[in-house]
Amino acid sequence: MTAGRETRTLATETATPAPAQADLRTMPAVAKPLVAPAAPPAALPPKPAPAAGDTADDEGGPPMTFWEHLDELRKRIVWSVIAFFVCCFLAWEVKEEVMNYLSIPFYQAWAAQNLPGKAELHFDAPGSIFTAYFKLSMIVGVGMASPVIFYQLWSFVAPGLYAKEKKFVIPFVLSSSLLFVGGGYFGYKTAFPIMFNYFLGLSGNIGSLSITPMVMMSPYIDFVSQLLLCFGLIFEIPLFLLFLSLAGIINYLHLIRFGRWFILVAFVVAAIITPPDATSQLLMAVPMCLLYAVSIGLAFLFGKKPTEAQREAFRNRKKKKTPEPDAT
């Protein structure tokens, strides 16, 4: 009985069919969720048309490599040197007239100090007079070639400027040349007579000793050329600071803050260059300070304006220096 029951159970388990695998072909298709098609990318807004005067040149010239800068500098130096030597050759033809003109303050001071004899310039070697005239020709050549030199300087920095800034080339060349020559003329008419009177006034009789000046021609030209060059460069201060302001390196607030230090620098430079008397120092230091004040006005009118942060810092600096009123 038991063996028969086990036989029937085994037969039943054997006869039970295995579950049929699902037929993928007969299964109903599953509906996919509807997805909206991706929208096409939005078109970029058109670039605004350049305003009048806003051309590609307003962004300055194309960038230059280091070697291209060197090549450009070489060209500008070559043209400046050519102009300098041509002007030196022309100045050599009028060297006597120029020498006579530059010696006028000297022999006027000689006569004003009642020195004996006639004002004279000497040379101590046969070749010294040639060297002195050659130096004189170079001084005059620098003045005559200054428009070309300043134009080459502007042409060297022009590739990095905007088109509207390149239009200042003619005012820059004219103003820089006039300021350089005008500074030398100012020194000739104001500083030279005072300096020569001071120096020649140190001569005379000291007891039984007579001190008589014997001025050599070459040192005289060196002294005159140094003063002419210094006064010419001093008068370039407004143009130099205006250029820095246009480039955005400084603004008029920077110049105002540095004003007190510039006064100190002006008197130190004047004390080094001029004779030790106070009048000569004032003749150089006072024009430097006045030209610096003119530079502040030019930077305010034509230079780049300071940012709001710079204005706020300047106002806060002034407030810190203002003493608070006493509460009592």
Side-chain angles (χ1 to χ4, degrees), residues 7 61 77 123 147 195 225 251 260 270 295 320:
T7 302
I77 292 177
F123 60 95
M195 292 180 183
S225 62
N251 54 58
R260 64 181 63 187
S295 304
K320 291 180 181 179

Side-chain angles (χ1 to χ4, degrees), residues 62-327:
M64 300 173 63
T65 64
F66 174 75
W67 299 110
E68 289 175 339
H69 278 293
L70 287 182
D71 184 63
E72 183 70 16
L73 179 62
R74 179 186 61 83
K75 293 179 182 178
R76 301 306 170 187
I77 292 177
V78 167
W79 282 111
S80 300
V81 171
I82 292 174
F84 170 71
F85 278 110
V86 170
C87 293
C88 287
F89 177 78
L90 297 176
W92 179 265
E93 300 299 322
V94 293
K95 57 184 182 299
E96 291 88 358
E97 291 79 1
V98 175
M99 187 67 215
N100 180 63
Y101 184 74
L102 290 179
S103 61
I104 290 177
F106 172 70
Y107 62 71
Q108 286 180 346
W110 187 288
Q113 297 298 324
N114 296 319
L115 296 176
K118 181 183 177 181
E120 296 177 347
L121 292 175
H122 304 269
F123 60 95
D124 55 355
S128 298
I129 188 169
F130 173 82
T131 305
Y133 276 132
F134 185 75
K135 291 179 182 178
L136 183 63
S137 300
M138 289 194 297
I139 298 170
V140 180
V142 170
M144 295 175 61
S146 58
V148 179
I149 294 174
F150 286 122
Y151 175 77
Q152 298 302 324
L153 175 63
W154 179 271
S155 300
F156 176 69
V157 300
L161 301 177
Y162 293 103
K164 59 182 179 181
E165 296 172 344
K166 295 179 182 179
K167 299 176 183 177
F168 292 108
V169 55
I170 295 179
F172 173 80
V173 173
L174 292 178
S175 58
S176 57
S177 303
L178 291 177
L179 287 172
F180 184 77
V181 177
Y185 183 75
F186 173 83
Y188 171 82
K189 296 296 290 185
T190 59
F192 281 21
I194 297 175
M195 292 180 183
F196 288 134
N197 275 285
Y198 175 79
F199 286 132
L200 295 178
L202 298 176
S203 62
N205 296 323
I206 304 177
S208 60
L209 179 64
S210 177
I211 301 177
T212 304
M214 187 177 67
V215 182
M216 309 304 291
M217 186 175 179
S218 183
Y220 177 84
I221 293 178
D222 291 340
F223 176 77
V224 169
S225 62
Q226 177 185 355
L227 290 177
L228 290 176
L229 180 62
C230 290
F231 275 98
L233 293 178
I234 285 171
F235 272 63
E236 296 287 343
I237 290 176
L239 193 65
F240 176 70
L241 294 180
L242 176 60
F243 182 81
L244 294 181
S245 180
L246 290 173
I249 301 176
I250 61 174
N251 54 58
Y252 69 92
L253 294 182
H254 293 133
L255 298 178
I256 293 175
R257 294 180 60 179
F258 188 71
R260 64 181 63 187
W261 294 105
F262 183 84
I263 295 175
L264 176 62
V265 172
F267 277 90
V268 170
V269 172
I272 295 174
I273 296 176
T274 61
D277 63 302
T279 306
S280 300
Q281 295 178 14
L282 290 175
L283 284 175
M284 179 170 284
V286 171
M288 289 178 66
C289 296
L290 294 177
L291 291 170
Y292 188 83
V294 173
S295 304
I296 296 176
L298 293 175
F300 176 77
L301 293 176
F302 304 105
K304 290 190 176 180
K305 304 303 179 183
T307 62
E308 190 59 34
Q310 292 174 337
R311 296 177 189 271
E312 185 65 25
F314 183 77
R315 287 192 292 264
N316 294 335
R317 181 173 174 271
K318 291 180 64 177
K319 290 179 181 179
K320 291 180 181 179
K321 290 187 176 183
T322 303
E324 296 182 359
D326 193 357

